[in-house]
Amino acid sequence: MAKLILASQSPRRQELLRRIGVSDFTVLVPHADESYDPSLSPEEIVSHISRAKAAAAAALAGPADLVIAADTMVFLGDRRLGKPHSEEEAFDMLSALSGRVHTVCTGVTVRRGDVECCEAERTAVRFRPLTAAEIHSYIRTGECMDKAGAYGIQDRGALLVEGIEGDFFNVMGLPVLRLARMLERFGLDLLGKESVP
């Protein structure tokens, strides 16, 4: 029987899949080459990496299995903000984001066998101006250390955000509407009665 495979260990992506009615899926996270050409645009970078993740998972999956892979990055101008490696780095990132608009891009790839669909979503996020004390208080919550850009909009990081333009769920790491439309091309209707491929 064909399986739905999520090529991500992100608990947020797993939660979002369940929220939209996809409860029967397998998590498979094989090693993928996530290097990229720095001259690529943000959308091209995340698309390239999500394709690599999907290909690595598809190589271990059955030919009828449906693989979902995603990659999310935060960009402040031309600067890519990954996951902070220390509280000091988290402070520097959040200080840079304070009072400014940044971009969250997610590349999503859906693949079955050699057939794939890859798209990217972009959301603009505006931070309110933050004091050093507020940034330190947020860092002490511990929720920033495993998140690109050093914040999670779905938790207390929402208190840092003044507004967004675009898909909220994209900022969490998975643009669910775009994903649903991509899955429809593979015969999976999330609003229908079936929730497995």
Side-chain angles (χ1 to χ4, degrees), residues 51-70:
R51 275 195 191 101
K53 290 178 177 179
L60 301 176
D65 292 342
L66 194 60
V67 174
I68 299 169

Side-chain angles (χ1 to χ4, degrees), residues 20-33:
I20 59 173
V22 181
S23 57
D24 187 10
F25 62 89
T26 301
V27 174
L28 177 63
V29 191
H31 173 72
D33 180 4

Side-chain angles (χ1 to χ4, degrees), residues 110-131:
V110 178
R111 178 169 175 157
R112 175 179 279 142
D114 293 329
V115 179
E116 74 170 20
C117 174
C118 182
E119 297 184 7
E121 186 80 32
R122 168 188 284 254
T123 303
V125 181
R126 184 175 66 255
F127 264 32
R128 65 180 178 84
L130 303 170
T131 66

Side-chain angles (χ1 to χ4, degrees), residues 76 93-101 127-131 135:
L76 182 61
M93 287 185 186
L94 293 167
S95 297
L97 295 173
S98 173
R100 300 175 69 184
V101 175
F127 264 32
R128 65 180 178 84
L130 303 170
T131 66
I135 294 172

Side-chain angles (χ1 to χ4, degrees), residues 82 102 141:
H102 63 275
T141 69

